[in-house]
Amino acid sequence: MPLAGPGTAPAQPLPAAARSLPPPGERRGGAGSGRIPVPSGGVRVLWGAAVMALVEVDRAFPRSLRGSINIARMLLAWGMFFCFLGARSGGMYTSLAGMEVVITTLFFLLYLLKLDKKMTWLFWPLADIFNSMIAALFLLVVCLFAVVGKTNKATLAGGVFGFILLILCVVDAVVFWKISFGGRRERNAPAK
């Protein structure tokens, strides 16, 4: 055993894995490259694998009835947003369209990534139905103002997109209600 300097612990023999490492300052790589091989993506590969281990993707959701309604809602909300943005309409029109884009996208991601199963602190079906009904109410008011006021053609187009989105919000709420709560429930047997 080699002697240690004053004030240090005695040196321990190196494990086999550490003896195969190059000395500090010297790099070892493939085929005399002088570089240490690193997997493509480096840390990003590890981070992505860790995230994918936590999140499960429901690949069937976008092809389901609810998923296709949510995708249609997102597309119509984007169309309404760009129409109101292009028309330089008031903040009421643009902010409602932007809010609808964000909220619909978040609910879509919630169900696509199956986060509703992991975050059980909220009853997500009821929150989604409540969101659809409140959005339908706001869309009714704002789109009536947009169509009646029709300051230009883009505002009129945004109002029409909004009315179609209003219908989709109601359809989404009804379909989701039937899927979530419409199943047959057995009654308790009467007491004898």
Side-chain angles (χ1 to χ4, degrees):
M1 180 183 294
L3 296 174
T8 61
Q12 300 293 326
L14 293 173
R19 282 184 287 217
S20 67
L21 293 174
E26 184 181 315
R27 294 183 148 191
R28 186 185 304 175
S33 67
R35 303 184 73 191
I36 298 173
V38 176
S40 64
V43 176
R44 288 178 287 166
V45 172
L46 297 175
W47 185 80
V51 169
M52 291 310 290
L54 295 175
V55 177
E56 183 181 350
V57 178
D58 184 8
R59 298 192 188 281
F61 178 71
R63 291 185 295 274
S64 69
L65 178 63
R66 291 241 29 262
S68 56
I69 289 174
N70 271 343
I71 290 171
R73 279 181 66 182
M74 280 190 291
L75 292 175
L76 281 170
W78 274 111
M80 183 175 71
F81 178 72
F82 285 129
C83 284
F84 288 147
L85 199 63
R88 301 194 194 292
S89 298
M92 175 177 65
Y93 302 128
T94 310
S95 62
L96 177 71
M99 184 178 69
E100 183 62 27
V101 166
V102 169
I103 292 174
T104 305
T105 303
L106 289 176
F107 270 105
F108 180 76
L109 288 174
L110 177 86
Y111 294 118
L112 180 70
L113 301 176
K114 294 186 178 181
L115 295 175
D116 58 325
K117 305 277 190 262
K118 294 183 184 194
M119 296 188 296
T120 58
W121 47 269
L122 186 63
F123 189 58
W124 291 105
L126 191 60
D128 197 3
I129 292 169
F130 183 70
N131 168 53
S132 295
M133 296 312 295
I134 295 297
L137 180 68
F138 283 150
L139 285 168
L140 177 67
V141 171
V142 168
C143 292
L144 277 175
F145 280 119
V147 170
V148 170
K150 63 178 172 184
T151 55
N152 56 29
K153 290 183 181 179
T155 306
L156 180 64
V160 170
F161 276 138
F163 276 125
I164 297 170
L165 184 59
L166 166 98
I167 293 169
L168 272 180
C169 285
V170 172
V171 167
D172 185 29
V174 169
V175 166
F176 201 47
W177 180 270
K178 286 185 178 184
I179 289 173
S180 298
F181 306 113
R184 289 186 168 248
R185 297 179 186 225
E186 295 183 24
R187 295 184 180 183
N188 293 335
K192 290 185 180 182

